[in-house]
Amino acid sequence: DTGVSQNPRHKITKRGQNVTFRCDPISEHNRLYWYRQTLGQGPEFLTYFQNEAQLEKSRLLSDRFSAERPKGSFSTLEIQRTEQGDSAMYLCASSLVLSRQEKLFFGSGTQLSVL
Amino acid sequence: AQKVTQAQTEISVVEKEDVTLDCVYETRDTTYYLFWYKQPPSGELVFLIRRNSFDEQNEISGRYSWNFQKSTSSFNFTITASQVVDSAVYFCALSTLKISNQFYFGTGTSLTVIP
């Protein structure tokens, strides 16, 4: 197991286009998180899944954003009609929740640039 | 509200010097967890330590040590005899679980160790 994997590493798109990112968590991890990080800031929570159920969404997650985790394995984050303000690093993290002993393992992120 | 403050934006030290990174948190929950993550230039956040609110014992791991003080709501991180490989952005994070399962991150402290 090589950890959390995210694809692509970089994505450049034109404003108004749709983009989709993929995250493959550590196998057997039951929770999967999406975070967004802009330059000079810490990661900001977007949403998380417990198995295949999306249990929490941030107010940051506008209706242009949608995330899925079919079958409780990999997850996708789609941004529709991208805007320049969507430019950021999108981070995925997974965790195994056992007796509240939770810690997040992060992927290397997908850097999105909206032109 | 949950909040993490890392007042030090950037720190530079000369190799072999000790350095302390400050973290102050806010939460009304009595049960919470504090974390430190390291983000090297490659971008992937690496877990360093997790501490729960009931355990105020300080911890030492090699050149790293953490000082948790509930009285001042602080969870400071000290690197002893710093090395160039310690250069990275360090994030302090808070998880309360009661209100939300999200992790709240500070804005990070960028540490540069000069050879």
Coordinates of all heavy atoms in Angstrom, one line a residue, chain A residues 9 31 33 35 37 40-43 45 48 56 89 91 99-108, chain B residues 31 33 35 37 39 42-45 47 50 91 95 97 99-108:
Chain A
R9 N -2.1 15.2 -10.9 CA -1.3 16.1 -10.0 C -1.5 17.5 -10.3 O -1.6 18.4 -9.4 CB 0.2 15.8 -10.1 CG 0.6 14.5 -9.5 CD 0.4 14.5 -8.0 NE 1.0 15.6 -7.3 CZ 2.2 15.7 -6.8 NH1 3.0 14.7 -7.0 NH2 2.6 16.7 -6.2
R31 N -12.9 6.4 6.2 CA -13.3 7.8 6.0 C -12.4 8.4 4.9 O -11.2 8.1 4.8 CB -13.1 8.6 7.3 CG -14.3 8.4 8.2 CD -14.4 9.5 9.2 NE -15.5 9.2 10.1 CZ -15.6 9.7 11.3 NH1 -14.6 10.5 11.8 NH2 -16.6 9.4 12.1
Y33 N -11.7 12.3 3.1 CA -12.0 13.8 3.2 C -11.4 14.5 2.0 O -10.4 14.1 1.4 CB -11.2 14.4 4.4 CG -11.6 13.9 5.8 CD1 -11.3 12.6 6.3 CD2 -12.4 14.8 6.6 CE1 -11.7 12.2 7.5 CE2 -12.7 14.4 7.9 CZ -12.4 13.1 8.4 OH -12.8 12.7 9.6
Y35 N -10.2 18.4 1.1 CA -9.8 19.7 1.6 C -9.3 20.6 0.4 O -8.9 20.1 -0.6 CB -8.7 19.6 2.6 CG -9.1 19.3 4.0 CD1 -9.4 17.9 4.3 CD2 -9.2 20.2 5.0 CE1 -9.8 17.6 5.6 CE2 -9.6 19.9 6.3 CZ -9.9 18.6 6.6 OH -10.3 18.3 7.8
Q37 N -6.7 23.9 -0.4 CA -5.7 24.8 0.2 C -5.2 25.8 -0.8 O -4.9 25.5 -2.0 CB -4.5 23.9 0.6 CG -3.4 24.7 1.3 CD -2.2 23.8 1.8 OE1 -2.0 22.7 1.2 NE2 -1.4 24.2 2.7
G40 N -0.4 30.0 1.1 CA -0.2 30.7 2.3 C -1.3 30.4 3.4 O -1.3 31.0 4.4
Q41 N -2.2 29.5 3.0 CA -3.3 29.1 4.0 C -3.2 27.7 4.3 O -2.6 26.8 3.7 CB -4.6 29.4 3.3 CG -4.9 30.9 3.0 CD -4.9 31.8 4.2 OE1 -5.5 31.5 5.2 NE2 -4.1 32.9 4.1
G42 N -3.9 27.3 5.4 CA -4.0 25.9 5.8 C -5.1 25.3 5.0 O -6.0 26.0 4.4
P43 N -5.2 24.0 5.0 CA -6.3 23.2 4.3 C -7.6 23.6 4.9 O -7.8 23.7 6.1 CB -5.9 21.8 4.6 CG -4.5 21.7 4.9 CD -4.2 23.0 5.6
F45 N -11.6 22.5 5.1 CA -12.5 21.3 4.9 C -13.6 21.6 3.8 O -14.2 22.7 3.8 CB -13.2 21.0 6.2 CG -14.2 20.0 6.2 CD1 -13.9 18.7 6.1 CD2 -15.6 20.4 6.2 CE1 -14.9 17.7 6.1 CE2 -16.6 19.4 6.2 CZ -16.3 18.1 6.1
Y48 N -16.7 15.2 3.7 CA -16.1 13.9 4.0 C -17.1 12.8 3.9 O -18.3 13.0 4.0 CB -15.4 13.9 5.4 CG -16.3 13.4 6.6 CD1 -16.3 12.1 7.0 CD2 -17.1 14.4 7.3 CE1 -17.1 11.7 8.1 CE2 -17.8 14.0 8.3 CZ -17.8 12.6 8.8 OH -18.6 12.2 9.8
E56 N -20.9 15.0 5.7 CA -20.8 16.4 6.1 C -20.3 17.2 4.9 O -19.4 16.7 4.2 CB -19.9 16.6 7.3 CG -19.8 18.0 7.8 CD -19.0 18.1 9.1 OE1 -18.7 17.0 9.7 OE2 -18.7 19.2 9.5
M89 N -5.1 24.1 -4.4 CA -4.7 22.7 -4.3 C -5.8 21.9 -3.7 O -6.3 22.4 -2.6 CB -3.4 22.6 -3.5 CG -3.0 21.2 -3.2 SD -2.2 20.4 -4.6 CE -0.5 21.0 -4.4
L91 N -6.9 18.7 -1.8 CA -6.2 17.6 -1.1 C -7.3 16.5 -0.7 O -8.4 16.9 -0.2 CB -5.6 18.1 0.2 CG -4.4 19.1 0.0 CD1 -4.1 19.8 1.3 CD2 -3.2 18.4 -0.6
S99 N -12.2 3.6 17.6 CA -12.2 4.1 19.0 C -11.7 5.6 19.1 O -10.9 5.9 19.9 CB -11.3 3.3 19.9 OG -11.8 1.9 19.9
R100 N -12.1 6.3 18.1 CA -11.7 7.7 18.0 C -10.2 8.0 17.8 O -9.7 9.1 18.0 CB -12.2 8.5 19.2 CG -13.7 8.6 19.4 CD -14.1 9.5 20.4 NE -15.5 9.8 20.3 CZ -16.2 10.8 21.0 NH1 -15.5 11.5 21.8 NH2 -17.5 11.0 20.9
Q101 N -9.5 6.9 17.5 CA -8.1 7.1 17.2 C -7.9 7.5 15.8 O -7.3 6.7 15.0 CB -7.3 5.8 17.6 CG -7.4 5.4 19.0 CD -6.8 6.3 19.9 OE1 -5.7 6.8 19.7 NE2 -7.4 6.7 21.0
E102 N -8.4 8.6 15.4 CA -8.3 9.0 14.0 C -7.2 10.0 13.7 O -6.9 10.9 14.5 CB -9.6 9.7 13.6 CG -9.7 10.0 12.1 CD -11.0 10.7 11.7 OE1 -11.8 11.1 12.6 OE2 -11.3 10.7 10.5
K103 N -6.5 9.7 12.7 CA -5.6 10.7 12.1 C -5.7 10.6 10.6 O -5.9 9.5 10.0 CB -4.1 10.4 12.6 CG -3.6 9.1 12.2 CD -2.2 8.9 12.8 CE -1.6 7.5 12.4 NZ -0.3 7.3 13.1
L104 N -5.4 11.7 10.0 CA -5.6 11.8 8.5 C -4.3 11.5 7.8 O -3.2 12.0 8.2 CB -6.0 13.2 8.1 CG -7.4 13.7 8.7 CD1 -7.7 15.1 8.2 CD2 -8.5 12.7 8.4
F105 N -4.4 10.8 6.7 CA -3.3 10.5 5.8 C -3.6 11.2 4.5 O -4.6 10.9 3.9 CB -3.1 9.0 5.6 CG -2.6 8.3 6.8 CD1 -3.5 7.8 7.7 CD2 -1.3 8.0 7.0 CE1 -3.1 7.1 8.9 CE2 -0.8 7.3 8.1 CZ -1.7 6.9 9.1
F106 N -2.7 12.1 4.1 CA -3.0 13.0 2.9 C -2.4 12.4 1.7 O -1.3 11.9 1.7 CB -2.5 14.4 3.2 CG -3.4 15.2 4.1 CD1 -3.3 15.2 5.5 CD2 -4.4 16.0 3.5 CE1 -4.2 15.9 6.3 CE2 -5.3 16.8 4.3 CZ -5.1 16.7 5.7
G107 N -3.0 12.7 0.6 CA -2.4 12.6 -0.7 C -1.5 13.8 -1.1 O -1.5 14.8 -0.3
S108 N -0.9 13.8 -2.2 CA -0.1 14.9 -2.7 C -0.9 16.0 -3.3 O -0.3 17.1 -3.6 CB 1.0 14.4 -3.7 OG 1.8 13.4 -3.1
Chain B
T31 N -13.7 17.5 24.9 CA -12.9 16.4 24.3 C -12.5 16.9 22.9 O -13.3 17.2 22.1 CB -13.8 15.2 24.2 OG1 -14.2 14.8 25.5 CG2 -13.0 14.0 23.6
Y33 N -8.9 16.9 19.9 CA -7.6 16.3 19.6 C -6.8 17.3 18.8 O -7.3 18.1 18.0 CB -7.8 15.1 18.7 CG -8.7 14.0 19.3 CD1 -10.1 14.1 19.2 CD2 -8.2 13.0 20.1 CE1 -10.9 13.2 19.9 CE2 -9.0 12.1 20.7 CZ -10.3 12.2 20.6 OH -11.1 11.2 21.2
F35 N -3.2 18.1 16.6 CA -2.3 17.5 15.6 C -1.2 18.5 15.1 O -1.5 19.7 15.1 CB -3.0 17.0 14.4 CG -4.2 16.0 14.7 CD1 -5.4 16.5 15.1 CD2 -4.0 14.7 14.5 CE1 -6.5 15.6 15.3 CE2 -5.0 13.8 14.7 CZ -6.3 14.3 15.1
Y37 N 1.1 18.6 11.6 CA 1.5 18.1 10.3 C 2.6 18.9 9.7 O 2.7 20.1 9.8 CB 0.3 18.1 9.3 CG -0.8 17.0 9.5 CD1 -1.8 17.2 10.5 CD2 -0.7 15.9 8.8 CE1 -2.7 16.2 10.7 CE2 -1.7 14.8 9.0 CZ -2.6 15.0 10.0 OH -3.6 14.0 10.2
Q39 N 4.4 19.9 6.0 CA 4.2 19.9 4.5 C 5.5 20.3 3.8 O 5.8 21.5 3.8 CB 3.0 20.8 4.1 CG 2.6 20.8 2.7 CD 1.4 21.6 2.4 OE1 1.2 22.7 2.8 NE2 0.5 21.0 1.5
S42 N 7.3 19.1 -1.5 CA 6.6 18.2 -2.4 C 5.1 18.3 -2.2 O 4.3 17.9 -3.1 CB 7.0 16.7 -2.1 OG 6.7 16.4 -0.7
G43 N 4.6 18.9 -1.1 CA 3.2 19.2 -1.0 C 2.4 18.2 -0.1 O 1.3 18.6 0.3
E44 N 2.8 17.0 0.1 CA 2.0 16.1 0.9 C 2.1 16.3 2.4 O 3.2 16.4 2.9 CB 2.5 14.6 0.5 CG 1.7 13.5 1.2 CD 2.1 12.2 0.7 OE1 2.5 12.1 -0.5 OE2 2.0 11.2 1.5
L45 N 1.0 16.4 3.0 CA 1.0 16.7 4.5 C 1.3 15.4 5.2 O 0.7 14.3 5.0 CB -0.4 17.2 4.9 CG -0.6 18.6 4.6 CD1 -2.0 18.8 4.0 CD2 -0.5 19.4 5.9
F47 N 1.8 13.4 8.8 CA 1.4 13.4 10.2 C 2.6 13.3 11.1 O 3.5 12.5 10.8 CB 0.4 12.2 10.4 CG 0.2 11.9 11.9 CD1 -0.9 12.6 12.5 CD2 0.9 11.0 12.5 CE1 -1.1 12.3 13.8 CE2 0.6 10.7 13.9 CZ -0.4 11.3 14.5
R50 N -0.4 13.3 17.3 CA -1.8 13.5 17.7 C -1.8 13.5 19.3 O -1.2 12.7 19.9 CB -2.6 12.4 17.2 CG -4.1 12.4 17.7 CD -4.7 11.0 17.3 NE -5.4 10.5 18.5 CZ -6.7 10.5 18.4 NH1 -7.4 10.8 17.4 NH2 -7.4 10.0 19.5
F91 N 1.8 22.7 10.1 CA 0.4 23.0 10.4 C 0.0 22.4 11.7 O 0.3 21.2 12.0 CB -0.5 22.6 9.3 CG -0.4 23.3 8.0 CD1 0.4 22.8 7.0 CD2 -1.0 24.5 7.8 CE1 0.5 23.5 5.8 CE2 -0.9 25.2 6.6 CZ -0.1 24.7 5.6
S95 N -9.3 18.8 16.1 CA -10.5 18.0 15.8 C -11.3 17.9 17.0 O -10.7 17.5 18.1 CB -10.1 16.7 15.2 OG -11.2 15.8 15.1
L97 N -14.7 16.5 17.0 CA -15.6 15.3 16.8 C -17.1 15.5 17.2 O -18.0 15.0 16.6 CB -15.1 14.1 17.5 CG -13.7 13.6 17.1 CD1 -13.3 12.3 17.8 CD2 -13.6 13.4 15.6
I99 N -19.0 18.4 17.4 CA -19.8 19.2 16.5 C -19.7 18.8 15.0 O -20.6 18.7 14.2 CB -19.4 20.7 16.6 CG1 -19.7 21.2 18.0 CG2 -20.1 21.6 15.6 CD1 -19.2 22.6 18.3
S100 N -18.5 18.4 14.7 CA -18.2 18.1 13.3 C -17.0 17.2 13.3 O -16.2 17.2 14.2 CB -17.8 19.4 12.6 OG -17.1 19.1 11.4
N101 N -16.9 16.4 12.2 CA -15.7 15.5 12.1 C -14.6 16.2 11.3 O -13.6 15.5 11.0 CB -16.1 14.2 11.5 CG -16.7 13.3 12.5 OD1 -16.1 12.9 13.5 ND2 -18.0 12.9 12.3
Q102 N -14.8 17.4 11.0 CA -13.7 18.0 10.2 C -12.5 18.4 11.1 O -12.7 18.6 12.3 CB -14.2 19.3 9.5 CG -14.7 20.4 10.4 CD -15.0 21.6 9.6 OE1 -14.2 22.3 9.1 NE2 -16.3 21.9 9.5
F103 N -11.4 18.5 10.5 CA -10.2 19.0 11.1 C -10.0 20.4 10.8 O -10.1 20.8 9.6 CB -9.0 18.2 10.6 CG -8.9 16.8 11.2 CD1 -10.0 15.9 11.0 CD2 -7.8 16.3 11.8 CE1 -9.9 14.6 11.5 CE2 -7.7 15.0 12.3 CZ -8.7 14.1 12.1
Y104 N -9.7 21.2 11.8 CA -9.5 22.7 11.6 C -8.0 22.9 11.6 O -7.3 22.6 12.6 CB -10.2 23.5 12.7 CG -11.6 23.3 12.7 CD1 -12.2 22.3 13.5 CD2 -12.5 24.2 12.1 CE1 -13.6 22.1 13.5 CE2 -13.9 24.0 12.2 CZ -14.4 22.9 12.9 OH -15.8 22.8 12.9
F105 N -7.5 23.5 10.5 CA -6.1 23.8 10.4 C -5.7 25.2 10.6 O -6.5 26.1 10.3 CB -5.6 23.4 9.0 CG -5.4 21.9 8.8 CD1 -6.6 21.1 8.5 CD2 -4.2 21.2 9.0 CE1 -6.5 19.7 8.3 CE2 -4.1 19.9 8.8 CZ -5.2 19.1 8.4
G106 N -4.6 25.5 11.2 CA -4.0 26.8 11.3 C -3.5 27.2 9.9 O -3.5 26.4 8.9
T107 N -3.0 28.4 9.8 CA -2.5 28.9 8.5 C -1.1 28.5 8.2 O -0.5 28.8 7.2 CB -2.6 30.5 8.5 OG1 -1.9 31.0 9.7 CG2 -4.0 31.0 8.4
G108 N -0.4 27.8 9.2 CA 0.9 27.2 9.0 C 2.0 28.2 9.3 O 1.9 29.4 9.3

